Every structure is written in C-alpha cells, then in structure tokens.
Amino acid sequence: MLRKTIIKYAFFSLAFGLVLLTSCQRDDICPQSTVTTPQLRISFFDFEERDIPKPPANLRVKLSETDSILLNRVNIPDIRIPLRTNQNFTEYDFILNAAVLDSTGVDTTGNPDRLLFAYARNEIYINRACSYKVNYIDLNANLQPEQDANSFWIKEINITEEIIENETNTHIFIYH
C-alpha cells in the first residue's frame, strides 16, 4: 500500500513538474541591438556654398495637420525623422526661425515649408519578439505649394538614396 502511494506521489509530482516546465515561455523582448524600422535622415546645406553644412536656425519639425512636434527649435545640420508605416506618404511642416510656442501652442512667426514624402513600403518579418520592420523604397520628396512661392526657405531637395534600409546613410540633402 505504501509503495502504491509513493508511486502515485512520484507520478503526480513528475506530471506537475512537466506541466510547469512546458507552460513557461521565454520572454519575448526585442533586444535594442535589433535593427528595426529606419528613420529618414536629412542633412542641410548652404544653397550658395553647396559643400558647407548649414543648420537651419531654430528648426521645428511637426507632423502636418496635427500638433505633433518631433523636433523643436533645433540648430543642427543633420536630423532623423520617422515615416509612417501604415501609409505610403508622410507630410511634415519644416518651420524655419520657429518661435517659442505661446500658452495655446501656436507659433505665427516662423517660416513654414511643407514637405510631402511619398514611398512604397516593404514589410520584413524579424521575429516573434520584434515583429515586423518596414523598409521604404522609391522615396520621393516634394515641397507643397504655398500662397507665395518666394516665401520658400527650402531652395532645393536632392534625394541621395531612394531606398531607406538604415539610418547611417543620408537619404536627402536639403539646400537653403
């Protein structure tokens, strides 16, 4: 009788242990070292002296038609901005000489240029933890028309890479 009890106990302990071991899953955490969807890299240059980097003064970059500001009053010659992964275009306002926002979040003093970035998306499965990443192909960038064409501060847009697979290479040069 004691032997049957020990065998039952051993069987149930083994079964319980197997259930515990098989129900555990490894953590699905995407490592920071994993390459994910790249951002668009833009470098700014002087229109007259084309080899000289020229940071736009107090540049604000915001998603058009929203209050979502990505960069606020930066003075750097190289920026990275995300493109939408669920649409084939992203539209940004690049505001030169952006003022400090008032209490309502309005800036009426800067000089905005609206850029439309159009592209095709190529979704690539990474793994279960990281899911998908998107590479962009056939990149195109256009200044959107304003009331007065003389008010554009961006003079020229030069696409250097039409395929966005990484953030190390500059994809667009903007001359101003």
Side-chain angles (χ1 to χ4, degrees):
M1 182 82 172
L2 180 62
R3 185 174 181 176
K4 284 186 177 181
T5 306
I6 292 174
I7 291 174
K8 283 183 183 179
Y9 177 73
F11 175 75
F12 285 118
S13 296
L14 181 63
F16 183 71
L18 285 174
V19 168
L20 280 178
L21 287 174
T22 58
S23 66
C24 294
Q25 295 180 0
R26 67 179 184 87
D27 289 338
D28 283 340
I29 298 173
C30 187
Q32 281 188 326
S33 61
T34 303
V35 177
T36 57
T37 300
Q39 293 186 331
L40 175 65
R41 185 171 176 176
I42 301 172
S43 293
F44 296 92
F45 288 90
D46 188 294
F47 182 69
E48 303 295 328
E49 308 266 342
R50 298 177 79 76
D51 293 335
I52 299 176
K54 180 181 177 185
N58 295 321
L59 177 68
R60 177 178 294 132
V61 178
K62 74 178 213 56
L63 201 54
S64 298
E65 308 301 329
T66 70
D67 293 330
S68 181
I69 296 175
L70 275 76
L71 300 170
N72 194 21
R73 295 176 47 85
V74 296
N75 295 293
I76 53 178
D78 186 72
I79 62 171
R80 290 181 182 92
I81 56 175
L83 297 174
R84 290 184 175 170
T85 58
N86 61 347
Q87 294 180 350
N88 289 337
F89 69 93
T90 306
E91 196 170 47
Y92 282 110
D93 290 333
F94 285 66
I95 304 168
L96 184 67
N97 296 319
V100 177
L101 296 175
D102 65 14
S103 60
T104 63
V106 175
D107 173 13
T108 58
T109 61
N111 182 1
D113 280 356
R114 182 165 287 178
L115 288 172
L116 176 68
F117 300 102
Y119 43 82
R121 295 168 288 137
N122 181 23
E123 292 184 356
I124 301 166
Y125 181 74
I126 299 172
N127 58 38
R128 187 170 77 175
C130 301
S131 188
Y132 288 87
K133 78 173 198 171
V134 176
N135 286 341
Y136 304 97
I137 54 178
D138 300 327
L139 177 66
N140 195 349
N142 291 307
L143 272 171
Q144 297 304 294
E146 291 185 20
Q147 300 289 347
D148 179 14
N150 293 327
S151 67
F152 287 128
W153 65 270
I154 295 175
K155 303 296 182 203
E156 184 179 328
I157 301 170
N158 185 2
I159 297 173
T160 59
E161 290 195 21
E162 292 181 353
I163 299 173
I164 303 173
E165 296 176 312
N166 63 57
E167 297 177 2
T168 57
N169 301 332
T170 299
H171 306 107
I172 294 178
F173 291 155
I174 291 181
Y175 298 94
H176 64 103

